[in-house]
Amino acid sequence: MDQHRDGAEPMAQETQPHLQPPPSWSEIPMDLAVLVLGLLPAYADRIRFAAVCPQWRTAARQPLPPPLPLLALPDGTFYSHPYSKLFHFPGCGFAEYKSICGSWLVFPRDDGCFLVNPFSRATVTLPALSRVRLRPPNAVAKWAEEGGEKIAPPYVTWLHINESKMLHISKLILCSPNLVAALVGIGDTSQILMCQPGALSWSVRAYDRCKGFEDMAFYQGKLYAIADDENLLVVNISEDHRTGDPQISRIGQVIKGDPWYPYPMDDNTIPCKKIYLVESRGALLMVRRAIWCRFVQPGVSGEVVAGQSEFEVFEADFEHSRWVKVSTVGGDQVLFLGRRCSRAMSVSQYNELSGDRIVFLDDDEQNRVDYLYDVEYSSCSAYDIRSGTVRSCHPKMSWKRCKEMDLAAWLFPQDG
Ligand SMILES: *[C@@H]1O[C@H](CO)[C@@H](O)[C@H](O)[C@H]1NC(C)=O
Ligand SMILES: *[C@@H]1O[C@H](CO)[C@@H](O)[C@H](O)[C@H]1NC(C)=O
């Protein structure tokens, strides 16, 4: 206090009690509130902050660095990473999603495929998976016969799986307001379908071979897909002249992979493989995950039990058409990796979080069993890229494994 600013004031204050209430927290300048809010990594904290007063709610609407994703479980429960306490959206009805795309939960139903954004409550309606337009429209499946049974020769196309009750979406991407692409299939084989939101049907190329697609990404305006052969494919999309609906015009290979395939080792282990595509700092990354499994009965191939995960990261070098192995993704970057949805995030503004890490889940396909588990509970883990070590994210953030619960996924609060 400047005692000499006004000679009369100190005297007056001494003789009179304070009439002014202490300044309210809601009166802190807006830019300061935004600054504080931007330092809170957990979505749950941002919500609590915004609930304090109207001024702070306004602050929460300003552009802010994205908070960490929520961990979503298919029973409709959520964790606000890095907290181990369950997070509840007001209202309910988010259980049994089948996929996640950014901030959208995906519910494929008989009367349509619905996307719901639990943050904004927005919805998008896509055609049901039973409504698929073949290209060419008059395509017919060719079948061979073996012992009186119809079999698919020499490879499976959409026409061989299109009537299966087991069709599931393993990946869905909202590429733009007019373009949605999805990997749809049975077991570990799938096909690329696309549509426009609100359209009556999906579009598929009837005679293309179904593949063991592992992931798909929309990167710099183009759609890319990858299978376990690690070849990066670019999907060329055109418009149906009649309806304006998107369709695949061509699929080309832009990078030739140099993959390895699961092979039993002398020590009774076998590495199972998963491939993820994720954009980080402007580059397209392929993450190769090896899940070290051991045979239940030594010397006998058959059931295997999952163990530790190991990761290798490669950057797409489009100019030389190759994957280039990298030893770091950057000291500020964390890759949140998931079968359904992966994103890279900068965590440099969050003091307590270290970068160059991969945060991952045991996210196995429901109808694709590569290995079993010998522990009852699942949780999320973090892989330190520099040291190659894995640790559990939070011992209390865990859920009981069961067939349906392996589909845990990341849900990103700020994602278009
Ligand atoms: C599956 O493809 C066949 C063509 O082989 C077609 O006749 C049939 O209507 C398709 N079924 C569905 C559900 O799209
Ligand atoms: C898609 O294919 C067409 C015709 O082959 C070609 O003219 C166009 O450049 C391609 N587009 C992309 C994005 O590759």
Side-chain angles (χ1 to χ4, degrees):
M1 267 268 182
D2 186 1
Q3 300 274 330
H4 308 288
R5 190 166 45 93
D6 184 346
E9 205 178 280
M11 285 301 290
Q13 280 194 356
E14 266 165 30
T15 52
Q16 280 177 12
H18 280 284
L19 295 175
Q20 294 277 318
S24 156
W25 276 109
S26 65
E27 283 163 26
I28 65 168
M30 181 64 75
D31 48 351
L32 210 58
V34 172
L35 209 63
V36 171
L37 199 52
L39 295 174
L40 302 174
Y43 177 72
D45 286 338
R46 304 249 182 129
I47 291 297
R48 277 185 215 116
F49 188 100
V52 170
C53 59
Q55 288 85 339
W56 288 16
R57 187 165 313 126
T58 310
R61 292 202 197 99
Q62 310 307 308
L64 291 163
L68 298 179
L70 303 186
L71 175 64
L73 302 181
D75 64 355
T77 54
F78 301 87
Y79 288 101
S80 178
H81 195 69
Y83 289 128
S84 62
K85 237 179 81 188
L86 286 178
F87 176 83
H88 297 281
F89 283 104
C92 56
F94 300 127
E96 289 177 24
Y97 68 81
K98 294 294 179 222
S99 189
I100 280 186
C101 164
S103 35
W104 300 88
L105 302 169
V106 182
F107 300 89
R109 302 212 174 112
D110 290 345
D111 54 340
C113 181
F114 301 94
L115 310 190
V116 179
N117 183 323
F119 306 98
S120 68
R121 299 284 165 147
T123 59
V124 170
T125 304
L126 306 177
L129 287 185
S130 56
R131 305 200 56 122
V132 178
R133 204 166 68 252
L134 299 176
R135 295 195 34 247
N138 53 358
V140 283
K142 294 189 178 64
W143 296 91
E145 199 130 336
E146 200 178 86
E149 292 258 346
K150 283 206 311 187
I151 59 153
Y155 52 75
V156 171
T157 69
W158 177 258
L159 296 175
H160 297 105
I161 61 170
N162 72 342
E163 293 189 335
S164 168
K165 295 269 175 291
M166 307 282 285
L167 280 181
H168 71 123
I169 296 182
S170 53
K171 179 99 190 177
L172 185 137
I173 306 181
L174 268 168
C175 306
S176 74
N178 300 321
L179 176 65
V180 174
L183 290 175
V184 179
I186 54 173
D188 60 0
T189 194
S190 57
Q191 193 50 280
I192 305 170
L193 271 58
M194 53 187 53
C195 73
Q196 198 169 0
L200 292 178
S201 58
W202 296 83
S203 160
V204 72
R205 296 225 296 186
Y207 295 128
D208 278 359
R209 183 182 199 147
C210 291
K211 281 173 175 260
F213 284 113
E214 292 269 321
D215 207 353
M216 203 161 60
F218 194 65
Y219 168 73
Q220 296 189 349
K222 289 185 185 176
L223 185 65
Y224 293 91
I226 197 163
D228 58 355
D229 56 16
E230 301 179 17
N231 295 332
L232 185 68
L233 307 176
V234 63
V235 181
N236 189 325
I237 299 160
S238 64
E239 238 179 47
D240 182 314
H241 294 309
R242 218 165 23 83
T243 61
D245 282 328
Q247 59 185 24
I248 298 178
S249 57
R250 202 178 147 265
I251 297 181
Q253 182 178 305
V254 284
I255 291 183
K256 171 97 185 75
D258 181 19
W260 56 254
Y261 295 101
Y263 188 81
M265 303 283 165
D266 288 340
D267 65 351
N268 199 37
T269 59
I270 182 169
C272 287
K273 189 172 84 165
K274 282 183 181 174
I275 301 291
Y276 304 82
L277 291 177
V278 57
E279 180 176 352
S280 168
R281 299 195 300 184
L284 182 64
L285 304 181
M286 171 180 82
V287 182
R288 187 198 275 156
R289 173 178 177 187
I291 298 151
W292 285 93
C293 300
R294 84 191 133 67
F295 288 98
V296 177
Q297 279 180 290
V300 184
S301 36
E303 287 187 344
V304 292
V305 171
Q308 207 64 277
S309 285
E310 226 170 57
F311 295 84
E312 290 170 284
V313 184
F314 301 83
E315 190 175 317
D317 175 355
F318 289 98
E319 197 182 329
H320 301 102
S321 179
R322 59 177 186 181
W323 291 114
V324 178
K325 191 166 172 172
V326 294
S327 56
T328 171
V329 294
D332 66 327
Q333 294 282 300
V334 173
L335 308 184
F336 287 91
L337 226 56
R339 198 71 304 198
R340 293 297 177 255
C341 189
S342 306
R343 294 278 188 277
M345 271 185 59
S346 166
V347 294
S348 56
Q349 72 274 24
Y350 307 133
N351 279 333
E352 67 272 39
L353 300 175
S354 48
D356 224 358
R357 286 186 310 144
I358 295 174
V359 185
F360 63 99
L361 307 164
D362 292 332
D363 48 357
D364 305 298
E365 296 288 352
Q366 251 166 319
N367 36 8
R368 171 181 174 184
V369 181
D370 292 336
Y371 42 78
L372 310 169
Y373 293 96
D374 64 357
V375 284
E376 206 181 344
Y377 285 85
S378 184
S379 69
C380 86
S381 310
Y383 178 83
D384 186 306
I385 295 177
R386 273 179 223 171
S387 65
T389 51
V390 174
R391 60 171 187 80
S392 177
C393 279
H394 200 299
K396 281 202 202 134
M397 191 201 281
S398 70
W399 56 97
K400 201 170 166 147
R401 273 180 221 284
C402 65
K403 212 163 177 279
E404 292 73 35
M405 287 297 252
D406 291 339
L407 258 162
W410 298 114
L411 180 68
F412 296 85
Q414 261 174 44
D415 199 78

